[in-house]
Amino acid sequence: MIIKEGEAEISVPEIYHGPGKRGAGFYNADQKINRDITIEFIKRMGIKTALDGFGGTGIRGIRIAKETNASVTIAEVSPESYRIVRDNIERNGSHATAVNDTFECVLQHGSFEYVDIDPYGSPVPYIDAALMGVKRGGFLGITATDQTALTGSVPHKTRIRYDALIQNDTFRHEMGIRLLIGYTAKRAAALGRSIEPMLSIWHGHYYRIFLKIEKGFQSAGRMIREVGYVNKHDIHADMYPDVEEGPVWKGRIQENEVARDVLESTGHINFNSEENRLLFCDMTDIARFRHISLPSVSSVIDKIREAGYIAARTMFSPTGIKTDASCAQIEEMMMDILRH
Protein backbone atom coordinates (compact mmCIF):
# COMPACT_ATOMS: atom_id res chain seq x y z
CA MET A 1 0.00 0.00 0.00
CA ILE A 2 1.28 3.47 -0.93
CA ILE A 3 0.68 6.29 1.54
CA LYS A 4 1.15 10.00 0.84
CA GLU A 5 1.88 12.14 3.89
CA GLY A 6 3.36 15.62 3.74
CA GLU A 7 5.98 15.59 1.00
CA ALA A 8 6.72 11.88 1.46
CA GLU A 9 5.31 8.87 -0.35
CA ILE A 10 5.93 5.57 1.39
CA SER A 11 5.12 1.92 0.98
CA VAL A 12 3.55 0.23 4.02
CA PRO A 13 2.51 -3.41 4.54
CA GLU A 14 -0.57 -2.33 6.53
CA ILE A 15 -2.11 0.94 7.70
CA TYR A 16 -3.12 1.45 11.30
CA HIS A 17 -5.70 3.96 12.50
CA GLY A 18 -4.72 3.72 16.16
CA PRO A 19 -2.02 2.25 18.37
CA GLY A 20 -2.85 -1.17 16.92
CA LYS A 21 -0.61 -4.20 16.92
CA ARG A 22 2.97 -3.57 15.95
CA GLY A 23 4.43 -5.31 12.92
CA ALA A 24 7.19 -4.81 10.37
CA GLY A 25 6.96 -1.40 8.75
CA PHE A 26 4.61 -0.14 11.47
CA TYR A 27 2.72 2.95 10.32
CA ASN A 28 0.30 4.82 12.59
CA ALA A 29 -1.93 7.19 10.60
CA ASP A 30 -3.22 8.75 13.83
CA GLN A 31 0.25 10.16 14.48
CA LYS A 32 0.20 12.41 11.40
CA ILE A 33 -0.60 15.46 13.53
CA ASN A 34 2.32 14.53 15.78
CA ARG A 35 4.62 14.39 12.76
CA ASP A 36 3.27 17.64 11.27
CA ILE A 37 3.99 19.45 14.53
CA THR A 38 7.44 17.88 14.71
CA ILE A 39 8.28 19.16 11.22
CA GLU A 40 7.23 22.70 12.14
CA PHE A 41 9.15 22.56 15.42
CA ILE A 42 12.36 21.50 13.64
CA LYS A 43 11.90 24.30 11.11
CA ARG A 44 11.20 26.85 13.85
CA MET A 45 14.29 25.90 15.86
CA GLY A 46 16.63 25.75 12.85
CA ILE A 47 17.76 22.21 13.63
CA LYS A 48 20.49 20.82 11.36
CA THR A 49 21.01 17.22 12.58
CA ALA A 50 18.22 14.90 13.70
CA LEU A 51 17.80 11.29 14.82
CA ASP A 52 14.52 9.47 14.25
CA GLY A 53 15.08 6.78 16.85
CA PHE A 54 12.33 4.33 15.85
CA GLY A 55 12.02 4.13 12.07
CA GLY A 56 9.07 1.81 11.41
CA THR A 57 8.35 2.74 7.80
CA GLY A 58 10.72 5.71 8.00
CA ILE A 59 7.88 8.19 7.53
CA ARG A 60 8.97 10.60 10.29
CA GLY A 61 12.65 10.70 9.33
CA ILE A 62 11.94 10.89 5.59
CA ARG A 63 9.53 13.77 6.09
CA ILE A 64 12.05 15.61 8.27
CA ALA A 65 14.71 15.14 5.56
CA LYS A 66 12.41 16.31 2.75
CA GLU A 67 10.59 19.14 4.53
CA THR A 68 13.36 20.73 6.64
CA ASN A 69 17.05 21.56 6.28
CA ALA A 70 18.11 18.86 8.74
CA SER A 71 20.45 15.97 8.02
CA VAL A 72 18.57 12.90 9.26
CA THR A 73 19.56 9.50 10.62
CA ILE A 74 16.84 6.85 11.00
CA ALA A 75 17.45 4.01 13.47
CA GLU A 76 15.52 0.73 13.09
CA VAL A 77 16.50 -2.43 14.95
CA SER A 78 14.21 -4.86 13.07
CA PRO A 79 15.93 -6.18 9.91
CA GLU A 80 12.60 -6.44 8.08
CA SER A 81 11.53 -2.91 9.04
CA TYR A 82 15.02 -1.64 8.20
CA ARG A 83 14.60 -2.93 4.64
CA ILE A 84 11.27 -1.12 4.39
CA VAL A 85 12.85 2.11 5.68
CA ARG A 86 15.73 1.78 3.21
CA ASP A 87 13.33 1.14 0.31
CA ASN A 88 11.20 4.14 1.28
CA ILE A 89 14.26 6.39 1.46
CA GLU A 90 15.14 5.31 -2.08
CA ARG A 91 11.53 5.77 -3.25
CA ASN A 92 11.62 9.38 -2.06
CA GLY A 93 15.07 10.22 -3.33
CA SER A 94 15.85 11.22 0.25
CA HIS A 95 19.29 11.92 1.70
CA ALA A 96 18.28 10.37 5.05
CA THR A 97 20.58 7.63 6.36
CA ALA A 98 19.10 4.38 7.68
CA VAL A 99 20.94 2.37 10.34
CA ASN A 100 19.99 -1.20 11.28
CA ASP A 101 20.78 -0.89 14.97
CA THR A 102 19.21 0.02 18.29
CA PHE A 103 18.40 3.57 19.29
CA GLU A 104 20.97 3.41 22.10
CA CYS A 105 23.78 2.10 19.89
CA VAL A 106 23.27 4.83 17.30
CA LEU A 107 23.57 7.45 20.04
CA GLN A 108 26.83 5.91 21.24
CA HIS A 109 28.41 6.78 17.91
CA GLY A 110 27.28 10.40 17.60
CA SER A 111 25.20 13.23 19.01
CA PHE A 112 22.42 15.23 17.40
CA GLU A 113 20.80 18.64 17.65
CA TYR A 114 17.45 16.88 17.80
CA VAL A 115 16.54 13.39 19.01
CA ASP A 116 13.05 11.96 18.52
CA ILE A 117 11.63 9.24 20.79
CA ASP A 118 8.39 7.80 19.41
CA PRO A 119 8.48 4.18 20.56
CA TYR A 120 5.85 1.48 20.58
CA GLY A 121 4.97 1.75 24.28
CA SER A 122 6.56 3.73 27.08
CA PRO A 123 9.44 6.14 26.36
CA VAL A 124 10.96 5.51 29.80
CA PRO A 125 13.62 2.94 28.70
CA TYR A 126 15.05 5.39 26.16
CA ILE A 127 15.11 8.71 27.99
CA ASP A 128 18.58 8.41 29.54
CA ALA A 129 20.25 7.56 26.23
CA ALA A 130 18.40 10.39 24.50
CA LEU A 131 19.42 12.94 27.13
CA MET A 132 23.05 11.90 26.74
CA GLY A 133 22.86 11.97 22.94
CA VAL A 134 21.45 15.47 22.49
CA LYS A 135 24.01 18.21 21.89
CA ARG A 136 24.24 21.11 24.34
CA GLY A 137 21.38 23.46 23.54
CA GLY A 138 19.71 20.78 21.42
CA PHE A 139 16.18 19.42 21.58
CA LEU A 140 14.36 16.24 22.52
CA GLY A 141 10.92 15.21 21.24
CA ILE A 142 9.09 12.52 23.24
CA THR A 143 5.84 10.72 22.44
CA ALA A 144 4.16 8.76 25.24
CA THR A 145 1.22 6.42 24.66
CA ASP A 146 1.33 4.72 28.08
CA GLN A 147 -1.54 6.79 29.46
CA THR A 148 -2.69 4.10 31.88
CA ALA A 149 0.52 4.76 33.81
CA LEU A 150 0.77 8.52 33.28
CA THR A 151 -2.86 9.28 34.21
CA GLY A 152 -2.85 7.07 37.30
CA SER A 153 -5.62 4.83 35.96
CA VAL A 154 -3.46 1.80 36.82
CA PRO A 155 -1.74 3.02 40.00
CA HIS A 156 0.84 0.24 40.28
CA LYS A 157 2.09 1.03 36.77
CA THR A 158 2.40 4.70 37.73
CA ARG A 159 4.41 3.76 40.80
CA ILE A 160 6.63 1.18 39.12
CA ARG A 161 7.33 3.07 35.90
CA TYR A 162 7.39 6.70 37.07
CA ASP A 163 7.80 6.37 40.85
CA ALA A 164 4.80 8.64 41.37
CA LEU A 165 1.22 8.86 42.59
CA ILE A 166 -1.41 10.43 40.31
CA GLN A 167 -5.17 10.61 40.88
CA ASN A 168 -7.23 9.41 37.90
CA ASP A 169 -9.57 12.39 37.88
CA THR A 170 -10.56 15.44 35.81
CA PHE A 171 -6.95 16.65 35.79
CA ARG A 172 -5.39 13.37 34.71
CA HIS A 173 -4.18 14.50 31.27
CA GLU A 174 -2.52 17.68 32.48
CA MET A 175 -1.01 15.73 35.37
CA GLY A 176 0.07 13.03 32.89
CA ILE A 177 2.02 15.54 30.82
CA ARG A 178 3.46 17.11 33.95
CA LEU A 179 4.47 13.67 35.22
CA LEU A 180 6.23 12.89 31.93
CA ILE A 181 8.11 16.21 32.00
CA GLY A 182 8.90 15.82 35.70
CA TYR A 183 10.25 12.31 35.25
CA THR A 184 12.45 13.47 32.37
CA ALA A 185 13.65 16.41 34.47
CA LYS A 186 14.70 14.06 37.29
CA ARG A 187 16.60 11.82 34.89
CA ALA A 188 18.23 14.87 33.30
CA ALA A 189 19.35 16.20 36.68
CA ALA A 190 20.90 12.87 37.60
CA LEU A 191 22.92 13.02 34.37
CA GLY A 192 24.04 16.63 34.85
CA ARG A 193 21.55 18.04 32.38
CA SER A 194 18.57 20.34 32.54
CA ILE A 195 15.40 20.57 30.48
CA GLU A 196 13.22 23.47 29.35
CA PRO A 197 9.74 22.62 27.99
CA MET A 198 9.13 24.25 24.62
CA LEU A 199 5.78 22.68 23.63
CA SER A 200 3.45 20.10 25.19
CA ILE A 201 0.26 18.62 23.74
CA TRP A 202 -2.30 15.97 24.51
CA HIS A 203 -3.96 14.51 21.46
CA GLY A 204 -6.20 11.47 21.82
CA HIS A 205 -4.16 8.48 22.90
CA TYR A 206 -0.77 10.17 23.21
CA TYR A 207 1.19 12.99 24.82
CA ARG A 208 3.90 14.85 22.94
CA ILE A 209 6.52 17.07 24.56
CA PHE A 210 9.45 19.01 23.12
CA LEU A 211 12.30 19.91 25.46
CA LYS A 212 15.44 22.01 25.16
CA ILE A 213 18.45 20.31 26.75
CA GLU A 214 21.33 22.07 28.49
CA LYS A 215 24.34 20.61 30.32
CA GLY A 216 25.69 21.42 33.78
CA PHE A 217 24.80 20.59 37.36
CA GLN A 218 24.15 24.24 38.26
CA SER A 219 21.37 24.56 35.69
CA ALA A 220 20.12 21.11 36.73
CA GLY A 221 19.92 22.30 40.34
CA ARG A 222 17.81 25.31 39.34
CA MET A 223 15.58 23.21 37.12
CA ILE A 224 14.82 20.52 39.68
CA ARG A 225 13.11 23.10 41.89
CA GLU A 226 10.23 22.98 39.42
CA VAL A 227 9.58 19.32 40.30
CA GLY A 228 7.37 18.72 43.31
CA TYR A 229 4.00 17.64 44.66
CA VAL A 230 0.50 18.97 43.98
CA ASN A 231 -2.37 18.92 46.47
CA LYS A 232 -5.62 19.90 44.74
CA HIS A 233 -7.43 20.15 48.08
CA ASP A 234 -5.06 22.95 49.10
CA ILE A 235 -4.72 24.59 45.68
CA HIS A 236 -8.35 24.49 44.59
CA ALA A 237 -11.15 23.44 46.91
CA ASP A 238 -12.33 20.96 49.52
CA MET A 239 -14.16 18.99 46.83
CA TYR A 240 -10.82 17.31 46.05
CA PRO A 241 -9.11 14.76 48.33
CA ASP A 242 -6.22 15.86 50.52
CA VAL A 243 -3.59 13.91 48.59
CA GLU A 244 0.00 14.82 47.68
CA GLU A 245 0.31 13.86 44.01
CA GLY A 246 3.58 13.61 42.14
CA PRO A 247 6.37 14.30 41.86
CA VAL A 248 5.42 16.23 38.72
CA TRP A 249 6.64 19.27 36.80
CA LYS A 250 5.04 22.39 38.31
CA GLY A 251 6.59 24.97 35.97
CA ARG A 252 5.54 26.11 32.54
CA ILE A 253 4.89 23.41 29.93
CA GLN A 254 5.58 25.54 26.84
CA GLU A 255 7.57 28.50 25.61
CA ASN A 256 4.73 30.67 24.37
CA GLU A 257 6.42 32.25 21.37
CA VAL A 258 7.62 28.88 20.05
CA ALA A 259 4.32 27.16 20.81
CA ARG A 260 2.35 29.89 19.04
CA ASP A 261 4.50 29.75 15.91
CA VAL A 262 4.44 25.96 15.66
CA LEU A 263 0.75 25.40 16.44
CA GLU A 264 -0.46 28.23 14.23
CA SER A 265 1.70 26.93 11.37
CA THR A 266 0.11 23.47 11.53
CA GLY A 267 -3.43 24.56 12.41
CA HIS A 268 -4.25 21.29 14.19
CA ILE A 269 -4.36 22.51 17.79
CA ASN A 270 -5.24 25.99 19.05
CA PHE A 271 -2.48 27.90 20.83
CA ASN A 272 -3.29 28.95 24.40
CA SER A 273 -0.76 30.96 26.39
CA GLU A 274 -2.60 30.14 29.62
CA GLU A 275 -1.79 26.40 29.44
CA ASN A 276 1.33 27.23 31.47
CA ARG A 277 -0.83 27.79 34.54
CA LEU A 278 -0.74 24.90 36.99
CA LEU A 279 -4.14 23.18 36.77
CA PHE A 280 -7.53 24.68 35.96
CA CYS A 281 -10.96 25.12 37.51
CA ASP A 282 -13.40 22.57 36.17
CA MET A 283 -17.03 23.61 35.95
CA THR A 284 -18.33 20.05 35.80
CA ASP A 285 -16.59 19.18 39.06
CA ILE A 286 -18.02 22.29 40.72
CA ALA A 287 -21.55 21.64 39.43
CA ARG A 288 -21.44 18.00 40.53
CA PHE A 289 -20.09 18.82 43.99
CA ARG A 290 -22.49 21.71 44.63
CA HIS A 291 -25.48 19.98 42.97
CA ILE A 292 -26.15 22.82 40.55
CA SER A 293 -26.79 22.99 36.81
CA LEU A 294 -23.96 23.66 34.39
CA PRO A 295 -24.03 27.07 32.66
CA SER A 296 -22.25 27.51 29.34
CA VAL A 297 -18.48 27.73 29.48
CA SER A 298 -18.48 30.89 27.39
CA SER A 299 -20.86 32.67 29.78
CA VAL A 300 -18.62 31.85 32.75
CA ILE A 301 -15.47 32.93 30.91
CA ASP A 302 -17.15 36.23 30.00
CA LYS A 303 -18.12 36.81 33.63
CA ILE A 304 -14.59 36.00 34.86
CA ARG A 305 -13.11 38.50 32.42
CA GLU A 306 -15.70 41.14 33.35
CA ALA A 307 -14.49 40.77 36.95
CA GLY A 308 -10.95 41.59 35.80
CA TYR A 309 -9.46 38.10 35.83
CA ILE A 310 -7.73 36.09 33.10
CA ALA A 311 -9.78 33.20 31.70
CA ALA A 312 -9.20 30.76 28.84
CA ARG A 313 -10.29 27.28 27.86
CA THR A 314 -7.85 24.41 28.24
CA MET A 315 -7.05 21.43 26.01
CA PHE A 316 -7.25 19.20 29.08
CA SER A 317 -11.03 19.45 29.74
CA PRO A 318 -14.08 20.65 27.74
CA THR A 319 -15.38 22.43 30.87
CA GLY A 320 -12.03 23.46 32.33
CA ILE A 321 -10.94 27.09 32.64
CA LYS A 322 -7.36 28.29 33.12
CA THR A 323 -7.71 31.40 35.29
CA ASP A 324 -6.16 33.46 38.06
CA ALA A 325 -9.52 33.56 39.83
CA SER A 326 -10.09 30.98 42.56
CA CYS A 327 -12.42 28.02 42.15
CA ALA A 328 -14.57 29.49 44.92
CA GLN A 329 -14.97 32.65 42.86
CA ILE A 330 -15.82 30.59 39.77
CA GLU A 331 -18.47 28.76 41.79
CA GLU A 332 -20.07 32.05 42.85
CA MET A 333 -20.05 33.31 39.26
CA MET A 334 -21.69 30.08 38.04
CA MET A 335 -24.41 30.38 40.66
CA ASP A 336 -24.96 34.06 39.82
CA ILE A 337 -25.43 33.18 36.13
CA LEU A 338 -27.92 30.45 37.05
CA ARG A 339 -29.89 32.84 39.30
CA HIS A 340 -30.32 35.27 36.41
Side-chain angles (χ1 to χ4, degrees):
M1 181 182 295
I2 303 300
I3 300 295
K4 181 76 164 63
E5 183 182 302
E7 294 183 13
E9 183 179 273
I10 62 166
S11 174
V12 299
E14 297 178 72
I15 181 167
Y16 295 85
H17 294 279
K21 181 179 179 181
R22 187 180 186 180
F26 178 71
Y27 173 78
N28 189 345
D30 290 348
Q31 292 280 359
K32 179 183 180 296
I33 290 174
N34 180 330
R35 291 186 285 269
D36 288 348
I37 290 172
T38 299
I39 297 296
E40 292 303 320
F41 180 81
I42 289 172
K43 288 180 183 177
R44 172 64 171 76
M45 307 316 297
I47 291 162
K48 300 301 183 187
T49 58
L51 171 63
D52 173 6
F54 301 85
T57 60
I59 182 62
R60 185 182 298 266
I62 291 169
R63 284 194 61 190
I64 293 171
K66 288 178 72 76
E67 298 175 42
T68 78
N69 293 320
S71 173
V72 180
T73 300
I74 303 173
E76 177 50 62
V77 67
S78 161
E80 188 176 352
S81 291
Y82 167 72
R83 287 191 291 272
I84 293 171
V85 172
R86 190 182 57 196
D87 290 347
N88 280 328
I89 289 174
E90 184 177 348
R91 171 186 291 275
N92 283 271
S94 171
H95 295 294
T97 300
V99 180
N100 186 200
D101 211 336
T102 66
F103 172 74
E104 297 87 346
C105 286
V106 173
L107 286 171
Q108 287 177 1
H109 294 93
S111 57
F112 300 83
E113 291 178 28
Y114 174 78
V115 173
D116 197 288
I117 304 176
D118 187 10
Y120 188 81
S122 173
V124 165
Y126 313 105
I127 287 175
D128 282 15
L131 287 165
M132 296 298 288
V134 176
K135 290 183 177 180
R136 181 189 297 270
F139 301 91
L140 175 59
I142 303 174
T143 300
T145 58
D146 57 332
Q147 290 188 358
T148 56
L150 286 165
T151 61
S153 62
V154 183
H156 75 274
K157 283 187 178 180
T158 311
R159 175 63 67 190
I160 291 169
R161 189 169 292 163
Y162 293 98
D163 191 25
L165 171 67
I166 299 293
Q167 296 287 304
N168 183 27
D169 59 14
T170 303
F171 304 92
R172 60 188 175 275
H173 290 299
E174 178 172 350
M175 291 294 282
I177 279 182
R178 291 186 177 277
L179 174 54
L180 179 60
I181 297 173
Y183 178 86
T184 306
K186 290 193 297 178
R187 295 309 310 148
L191 297 169
R193 275 120 174 106
S194 62
I195 67 163
E196 179 185 356
M198 306 303 287
L199 174 61
S200 304
I201 61 169
W202 163 49
H203 188 265
H205 66 275
Y206 66 86
Y207 302 136
R208 180 68 167 168
I209 61 174
F210 295 89
L211 310 171
K212 184 175 183 180
I213 311 299
E214 295 290 355
K215 297 182 181 180
F217 282 101
Q218 285 190 337
S219 61
R222 291 190 295 270
M223 170 208 65
I224 206 67
R225 296 171 192 161
E226 300 286 0
V227 178
Y229 291 84
V230 173
N231 188 316
K232 295 163 193 162
H233 183 277
D234 294 340
I235 292 174
H236 272 343
D238 56 5
M239 73 180 83
Y240 299 110
D242 186 4
V243 176
E244 297 290 324
E245 296 179 59
V248 298
W249 181 260
K250 298 173 71 175
R252 62 177 180 81
I253 63 172
Q254 65 186 17
E255 202 288 317
N256 278 336
E257 185 177 340
V258 172
R260 179 187 293 107
D261 288 351
V262 171
L263 294 179
E264 289 182 354
S265 293
T266 57
H268 296 307
I269 297 171
N270 292 329
F271 166 72
N272 178 5
S273 63
E274 299 306 317
E275 293 294 11
N276 280 326
R277 292 183 180 276
L278 179 61
L279 303 185
F280 49 88
C281 288
D282 193 81
M283 291 170 48
T284 298
D285 282 359
I286 293 171
R288 185 183 298 115
F289 187 74
R290 299 302 180 193
H291 304 291
I292 59 175
S293 299
L294 189 67
S296 71
V297 178
S298 59
S299 68
V300 175
I301 287 178
D302 288 344
K303 197 166 188 64
I304 295 170
R305 290 172 176 169
E306 287 169 7
Y309 295 99
I310 293 169
R313 288 178 177 268
T314 175
M315 65 177 153
F316 298 116
S317 168
T319 56
I321 302 173
K322 293 267 183 172
T323 178
D324 54 347
S326 69
C327 285
Q329 289 172 305
I330 305 305
E331 178 185 332
E332 287 300 318
M333 293 178 194
M334 289 170 60
M335 294 180 72
D336 187 56
I337 290 170
L338 293 171
R339 283 193 293 267
H340 295 87

